[in-house]
Amino acid sequence: MQTPRRRFLGSSLVLLGGALTDALATPLWRWKHPLTVEAAETTPTDPGVRFVDVAQSAGLNVTNVWGGIDHKRSIIETKGSGVAFFDYDNDGWLDIYLTNGNRLDTTWPAGKAPISHLFKNNRDGTFTDVTEHSGLGITGWQTGVCVGDYDNDGWDDLFCCFLGHNRLFHNNGNGTFTDVTRKAGLYQDHGRWGAGCSFLDYDHDGHLDLFVCNYVKLDPDNIENIPVTSTKATCQWKGVPILCGPRGLPPDTNILYHNNGDGTFTDVSAKAGILAPGPRYSITSVSYDFDNDGWPDIYVAVDSMPSILFKNNHDGTFTDVAVMAGCAYNEDGHEQAGMGVAVADYDCDGWFDIFKTNFVDDTSNLYHNNGDGTFSDVTFTAGTGVNNRYVAWGCGFLDFDNDGWTDLIQVNGHVYPEVDRYSFGESFKNPRIAYRNLGNGHFKDVSADLGTGIAERFSSRGAAFGDYNNNGCMDVLVLNLNDPPSLLRNDGGSKQNWIKLKLIGTRCNRTAIGARARVITGKHIQMDEVASGGSVMSQNDLRLHFGLGKSETVDMIEIKWPTTQKVERFPNIKANQIVTIREGEGIVKPKATA
């Protein structure tokens, strides 16, 4: 995760070739719209929001296990894993899935090995551990998690990446899950180091396909052969002997599985162009329509190597355009240690922008989408380049004050516990960082104003963003290495108005992944897409949240469904409610639950 500096002269922004340029010139659904910065000029500095860690009182009392506590002797022990907010029982309330890891050279007593956990939302601010009944209590080095209804039966399923063998868990609709990895054709004989993942419908056939990131090419079935530190270690960081990697270890290639529509998948990585960039240290993937041509693209945050932007060619293939597009390196042409990734139209200009987290002594990147097939690294001009003292992991765009402009939160945690023994000005456990969107293309670091939930220190990894108590305020779930998780409740965001959209596909995939929503209040136009995966190896709330500021009514909601590209419009919708929209049927009442 430590990244060397290397100048790359080809990172200057250039227009892409004819096919992409033509697609951008005539998008299927135009999103360009004027900015409304007048309101931002009078926005108070303090957003009036405080985040409070309520994990313990909410019943999230499971301690994460991931490698050594005071010393990490293998790269395996530094990586950590993700978390998920998802409504597994369709009761309209977000449940929680916590991944877990293991320890090297540890033999656990019967029934004492660490396992992943599923917590059911009790709808009163607390959760109940239902792991035993669910069938999800798996032991192993689990890394990433993503959610999607791959068989269109109306229940969201769970794909879990592991150091070893990934698993697909089918949601049976009765609170239980079944491991269908082999049945679905996803089992591989040789273990690999899976990281992040994303469901997407890349060919518009109405069935969710699956993209899987692979990190370092190791043999997890022979874990004792994986390099570890020793007194003769050749790897150093600031003069201190450390574990080696990822540099010096072989990178791996990513995988694209095509959904055959019958509950099985086929590996199409080679013919789809996914192998063309060559091996990379890939960590986290997201899928959004970055060029507004109506087809989902894929962005991959890559550690210590150029990141990847796969443009969808509309014919079942992808082309990596990240270098030409300007989002493979930073503005100086340097490779970075990409960890996490978040996507939003932060300036409301109708194009999706990218935020990517990196290693200590480097800033995270904010890539602004120029709307012509290129991105500009605006990290410093936008105000998000003021922090470089943390190893940054999970991240998310969320409108935490509901003013209609998406803010940013990133979670941090060093990879070397040894830093606490040296005077590097760094520590293993770090606070979180929060940036407030000022509505004029700029952000302000307001971490010191947002309460103890932001200030508390952990070595964190995964983070998920969603409204777990359905009060209209976006909350944060954080995985902390060798500590209990954090559940950061948003207190104060409800002072302004909001709307939340639950989209259900009928002709497109049932989870409606890839569906795009626009929310219009006056001249202010926000947009978002339903997405699988992101942050760091994690899953956010699949519902789309929009802050409305002082507006008590949404003038227009527009939904573009991914398979048909049909646009449905819903005028004059009252604020402060969760609106469920079913493709082709309009606004529907959610089913009553016990």
Side-chain angles (χ1 to χ4, degrees):
M1 278 148 270
Q2 185 179 2
T3 177
R5 294 295 193 178
R6 180 168 71 86
R7 180 69 62 176
F8 187 83
L9 299 179
S11 66
S12 57
L13 301 180
V14 295
L15 289 176
L16 303 185
L20 178 55
T21 304
D22 292 343
L24 291 169
T26 56
L28 296 178
W29 190 25
R30 291 192 177 275
W31 296 98
K32 207 70 175 172
H33 41 256
L35 289 172
T36 53
V37 300
E38 295 83 357
E41 295 175 357
T42 58
T43 298
T45 301
D46 187 347
V49 171
R50 301 294 181 268
F51 283 96
V52 180
D53 189 349
V54 297
Q56 184 175 2
S57 61
L60 303 179
N61 52 8
V62 175
T63 297
N64 172 262
V65 174
W66 199 278
I69 297 175
D70 300 320
H71 175 65
K72 305 290 187 185
R73 63 189 185 92
S74 166
I75 189 173
I76 294 173
E77 298 183 280
T78 68
K79 188 74 179 312
S81 54
V83 292
F85 268 140
F86 81 117
D87 182 8
Y88 80 90
D89 53 0
N90 281 350
D91 67 350
W93 295 77
L94 287 180
D95 308 298
I96 287 174
Y97 180 75
L98 301 176
T99 63
N100 218 333
N102 213 325
R103 299 204 199 284
L104 295 175
D105 303 328
T106 297
T107 301
W108 300 93
K112 298 297 183 181
I115 60 174
S116 301
H117 287 264
L118 178 66
F119 285 87
K120 175 177 171 54
N121 192 326
N122 299 324
R123 312 178 207 172
D124 60 1
T126 68
F127 293 80
T128 297
D129 190 337
V130 295
T131 307
E132 184 176 359
H133 175 69
S134 72
L136 293 176
I138 304 301
T139 296
W141 299 87
Q142 184 184 348
T143 49
V145 57
C146 57
V147 172
D149 182 2
Y150 78 91
D151 58 351
N152 287 337
D153 66 353
W155 300 89
D156 285 330
D157 309 298
L158 204 63
F159 186 78
C160 301
C161 295
F162 281 83
L163 173 66
H165 299 274
N166 300 330
R167 300 193 183 201
L168 175 63
F169 290 99
H170 177 263
N171 188 335
N172 300 320
N174 59 2
T176 69
F177 291 77
T178 300
D179 185 341
V180 295
T181 310
R182 292 179 182 272
K183 180 180 178 181
L186 297 175
Y187 184 84
Q188 296 190 334
D189 291 333
H190 297 287
R192 302 172 75 174
W193 193 347
C197 56
S198 298
F199 284 103
L200 72 157
D201 181 8
Y202 74 87
D203 55 355
H204 283 178
D205 67 354
H207 300 282
L208 285 178
D209 311 299
L210 179 63
F211 184 88
V212 180
C213 298
N214 288 304
Y215 189 47
V216 176
K217 191 174 184 179
L218 300 175
D219 184 2
D221 297 322
N222 294 285
I223 201 168
E224 65 275 6
N225 295 327
I226 294 174
V228 298
T229 55
S230 68
T231 56
K232 297 181 180 180
T234 58
C235 299
Q236 292 188 349
W237 180 74
K238 297 189 176 182
V240 177
I242 58 167
L243 55 94
C244 294
R247 285 294 188 188
L249 299 176
D252 204 351
T253 54
N254 299 318
I255 308 172
L256 179 65
Y257 293 104
H258 177 260
N259 190 327
N260 301 320
D262 59 0
T264 68
F265 293 81
T266 299
D267 185 341
V268 295
S269 307
K271 72 176 183 180
I274 301 303
L275 303 184
R280 300 282 172 92
Y281 303 120
S282 299
I283 294 183
T284 304
S285 61
V286 292
S287 178
Y288 286 79
D289 180 7
F290 288 106
D291 53 9
N292 285 354
D293 65 354
W295 295 79
D297 310 300
I298 304 169
Y299 185 78
V300 185
V302 177
D303 188 357
S304 302
M305 299 177 78
S307 290
I308 300 169
L309 176 58
F310 283 118
K311 172 182 163 47
N312 191 323
N313 299 323
H314 314 173
D315 60 0
T317 69
F318 291 83
T319 301
D320 179 13
V321 298
V323 173
M324 290 192 298
C327 55
Y329 303 89
N330 69 2
E331 63 177 352
D332 296 322
H334 293 157
E335 297 170 344
Q336 295 174 288
M339 311 284 195
V341 60
V343 174
D345 177 17
Y346 76 85
D347 56 352
C348 294
D349 67 349
W351 302 87
F352 281 122
D353 312 297
I354 299 171
F355 184 79
K356 177 172 68 71
T357 58
N358 298 303
F359 201 75
V360 68
D361 296 328
D362 203 350
T363 63
S364 298
N365 303 103
L366 180 61
Y367 294 113
H368 177 264
N369 190 330
N370 300 317
D372 60 1
T374 71
F375 291 79
S376 294
D377 188 338
V378 297
T379 303
F380 290 96
T381 57
T384 59
V386 296
N387 292 295
N388 69 346
R389 59 193 184 277
Y390 304 126
V391 180
W393 295 90
C395 58
F397 281 103
L398 68 162
D399 188 356
F400 54 64
D401 55 359
N402 281 333
D403 66 349
W405 300 91
T406 53
D407 312 297
L408 267 168
I409 287 180
Q410 76 176 46
V411 305
N412 310 296
H414 217 295
V415 297
Y416 311 130
E418 293 84 352
V419 299
D420 290 336
R421 303 198 296 267
Y422 296 89
S423 300
F424 292 153
E426 300 173 20
S427 59
F428 184 62
K429 296 185 177 184
N430 308 137
R432 290 80 191 240
I433 293 176
Y435 296 102
R436 190 183 190 203
N437 189 333
L438 302 180
N440 56 7
H442 298 277
F443 290 81
K444 179 179 175 59
D445 184 343
V446 294
S447 309
D449 300 325
L450 295 193
T452 56
I454 299 298
E456 64 183 3
R457 291 176 174 265
F458 291 96
S459 185
S460 301
R461 295 297 187 266
F465 302 85
D467 180 7
Y468 80 89
N469 52 6
N470 283 349
N471 68 347
C473 303
M474 290 294 285
D475 312 298
V476 189
L477 174 69
V478 185
L479 181 139
N480 302 311
L481 227 60
N482 288 317
D483 271 308
S486 297
L487 180 61
L488 308 185
R489 188 185 66 205
N490 180 334
D491 292 343
S494 59
K495 295 176 182 177
Q496 301 206 72
N497 298 307
W498 55 275
I499 196 83
K500 197 179 303 292
L501 307 180
K502 167 67 174 179
L503 305 183
I504 302 173
T506 55
R507 296 190 63 182
C508 75
N509 66 89
R510 295 296 181 269
T511 314
I513 288 171
R516 181 180 290 198
R518 293 206 308 172
V519 169
I520 304 170
T521 51
K523 295 182 179 180
H524 188 54
I525 304 175
Q526 303 176 66
M527 76 169 187
D528 202 358
E529 285 183 1
V530 182
S532 171
S535 182
V536 154
M537 304 174 286
S538 295
Q539 176 66 58
N540 300 320
D541 187 351
L542 289 162
R543 301 173 301 182
L544 304 180
H545 176 96
F546 299 89
L548 302 178
K550 299 184 184 304
S551 299
E552 297 181 355
T553 302
V554 177
D555 296 327
M556 183 71 70
I557 295 174
E558 295 181 351
I559 308 298
K560 183 179 71 167
W561 301 99
T563 298
T564 64
Q565 300 292 291
K566 181 180 180 180
V567 179
E568 297 182 338
R569 297 178 173 86
F570 307 93
N572 302 319
I573 305 298
K574 290 184 178 180
N576 305 321
Q577 61 171 320
I578 301 171
V579 178
T580 301
I581 301 176
R582 187 183 298 272
E583 181 180 12
E585 300 177 19
I587 296 175
V588 298
K589 292 184 178 181
K591 294 180 180 179
T593 56

